[in-house]
Amino acid sequence: QVLLVESGGGLVQAGGSLRLSCAASGSTDSINTMAWYRQAPGKQREFVAFISSSGYTNYAVSVKGRFTISRNNAEDTLYLQMNTLKPEDTAAYFCNAVRFGHEYWGQGTQVTVSS
């Protein structure tokens, strides 16, 4: 079992920055991919960014060039640096981890960007 706990969300003005963290605990050995997803009110959960165990990254078109995903394997922590935030980035952000084909999710952290 893997437990994921996100933090770092909050209220920020458009153009500002936030850094989200996701602390993993439990059976964290052999976690393969980790990712960030987000869900705005009334919308489906959508992919934001992905990072493999070797550091390969991929981003949604809407955040590419503004967001940076990274992970510290020694500390079992995933990060999402979000710059130049826009009101449309407002959503609950969820951490995701895959280990031996099983998916795990955090409880989410709210990001609100005011115009």
Side-chain angles (χ1 to χ4, degrees):
Q1 192 76 1
V2 176
L3 177 65
L4 302 172
V5 179
E6 301 96 334
S7 61
L11 174 64
V12 64
Q13 287 190 330
S17 299
L18 280 176
R19 189 194 196 201
L20 305 184
S21 299
C22 171
S25 61
S27 301
T28 59
D29 59 295
S30 300
I31 287 179
N32 188 0
T33 62
M34 299 191 78
W36 288 98
Y37 286 75
R38 66 186 182 187
Q39 187 168 17
K43 294 188 177 181
Q44 289 190 332
R45 190 170 296 189
E46 65 176 7
F47 166 77
V48 175
F50 157 102
I51 186 167
S52 72
S53 57
S54 60
Y56 171 80
T57 59
N58 192 24
Y59 297 90
V61 171
S62 59
V63 307
K64 199 166 187 177
R66 300 188 297 122
F67 291 10
T68 302
I69 190 171
S70 61
R71 64 193 283 182
N72 183 326
N73 292 327
E75 296 184 355
D76 294 325
T77 304
L78 178 71
Y79 301 99
L80 185 69
Q81 178 66 43
M82 305 186 295
N83 298 328
T84 320
L85 283 161
K86 304 176 181 179
E88 51 263 44
D89 294 320
T90 295
Y93 283 70
F94 297 88
C95 175
N96 169 279
V98 177
R99 179 180 181 271
F100 295 129
H102 293 279
E103 268 195 310
Y104 300 90
W105 294 90
Q107 83 291 346
T109 185
Q110 179 67 35
V111 172
T112 303
V113 185
S114 63
S115 56

